[in-house]
Amino acid sequence: MRAPDPRELGRVFNEVPELYDRVRPGYPDELFSDLVAVTGVAETSSVLEVGCGTGQATRALAALGCAVTAVEPGAELAALARRRLADRPNVTVETSSFEDWADRGRRFDLIVAASAWHWVDPSIGWRRAYEIVKPGGWTALLGHVVVRRPGEPEVYAETADLHQRFSPGNPGWCHPPLESEVPATDGGWGSVDDPGDFFGPPVVRWYPTVQWFDGKGFADLLRSTSLYRRLDRAVREPLLDAVAERVRTRMGDRAPRRYLSVLRLGQRTG
């Protein structure tokens, strides 16, 4: 069987833009404060955001006062981002993948990808970032790692039997790592390819964050993720209905989704 194309998987979010916008986690203010402190980005700076989705991180970047060009391959996601950011004249949203985007000679002080860089073709991404970032500029990768805390009820632990019942042997099913373990085991550029000589060693910062959901809300969150969207609907929907019911009956209809949000910053070499 052919392995899924990451670029194809990335497009599944375009199927549910409103849901994606409603349930997916944002990024803490402290992260953007650190982004400014490390990179020196200011109102006079130019920023390119790769894979802006519905504009969750874009709004925080726009609030810095800099000029933001946001690139998003999903037409529905890009359209929603334009509506959400219509009050931000310093933001332009362009519909394209990063690999195919026409830069027209534009160069930027900072490239940002918020939970999006892993969808970029690794044979193109870092080299193109190096070409587009000005000398002395930076690339920032933002993301979330789902984690758990000892002794706290966690949804996958409470629903592992349901996942195996509806989609047995799925390699995506696993318990989240402990929050305390992640910083020591997920350093550098994380799960994406290393940029090699294009960018220097990354500065890495971690930020504990949490979302709280009732059963229906948690099912909607899972419904917005690639792991569940690539399931056949006849499998996905009964599974998520069962997850929602389990959260209601076993967790008092209140469940945490804990993350370590992460900022990884690397400066262009040369």
Side-chain angles (χ1 to χ4, degrees):
M1 181 181 295
R2 181 176 66 90
D5 181 346
R7 297 178 70 183
E8 292 177 5
L9 289 178
R11 295 187 185 105
V12 300
F13 307 123
N14 197 53
E15 301 169 359
V16 285
E18 296 282 352
L19 176 65
Y20 184 94
D21 187 64
R22 176 166 57 84
V23 299
R24 295 300 284 269
Y27 296 90
D29 292 342
E30 185 183 359
L31 182 153
F32 292 99
S33 296
D34 288 347
L35 174 68
V36 170
V38 173
T39 67
V41 66
E43 290 186 2
T44 57
S45 301
S46 55
V47 177
L48 174 68
E49 185 184 2
V50 175
C52 73
T54 59
Q56 292 169 312
T58 321
R59 180 166 290 277
L61 294 170
L64 302 177
C66 48
V68 180
T69 300
V71 178
E72 168 53 49
E76 298 300 323
L77 291 167
L80 183 54
R82 290 187 191 98
R83 295 196 296 273
R84 293 282 189 265
L85 297 160
D87 62 337
R88 294 290 184 176
N90 56 326
V91 176
T92 301
V93 179
E94 301 182 14
T95 305
S96 176
S97 68
F98 180 57
E99 297 92 327
D100 300 327
W101 175 64
D103 62 78
R104 302 194 301 276
R106 289 171 286 179
R107 296 296 179 261
F108 297 85
D109 299 295
L110 171 68
I111 292 180
V112 175
S115 300
W117 195 251
H118 56 292
W119 302 121
V120 174
D121 184 341
S123 69
I124 297 172
W126 284 116
R127 177 177 292 279
R128 183 133 210 244
Y130 179 83
E131 293 169 351
I132 290 173
V133 172
K134 298 174 184 177
W138 295 76
T139 289
L141 305 188
L142 285 56
H144 302 289
V145 179
V146 179
V147 296
R148 58 189 167 93
R149 288 182 174 176
E152 180 179 68
E154 189 276 324
V155 171
Y156 183 72
E158 301 293 338
T159 63
D161 63 314
L162 301 177
H163 284 77
Q164 289 298 330
R165 182 195 311 170
F166 287 96
S167 184
N170 191 314
W173 305 151
C174 61
H175 293 278
L178 288 169
E179 183 180 68
S180 59
E181 296 173 346
V182 171
T185 59
D186 192 13
W189 290 101
S191 61
V192 304
D193 285 5
D194 191 276
D197 295 333
F198 294 128
F199 290 86
V203 176
V204 183
R205 304 278 174 83
W206 297 95
Y207 312 86
T209 56
V210 63
Q211 291 177 292
W212 290 91
F213 294 97
D214 60 14
K216 180 180 183 301
F218 203 96
D220 279 347
L221 171 68
L222 299 182
R223 197 171 273 115
S224 77
T225 66
S226 61
L227 178 61
Y228 291 84
R229 292 226 59 78
R230 69 190 187 213
L231 294 174
D232 187 276
R233 179 182 174 84
V235 174
R236 180 181 66 239
E237 294 308 316
L239 167 59
L240 294 183
D241 287 346
V243 168
E245 180 63 19
R246 183 66 60 83
V247 171
R248 284 193 292 269
T249 58
R250 190 174 290 183
M251 303 182 72
D253 210 23
R254 180 169 165 79
R257 179 75 154 186
R258 293 197 179 275
Y259 307 91
L260 282 179
S261 300
V262 59
L263 171 65
R264 306 179 196 268
L265 289 158
Q267 190 169 28
R268 184 187 190 269
T269 58

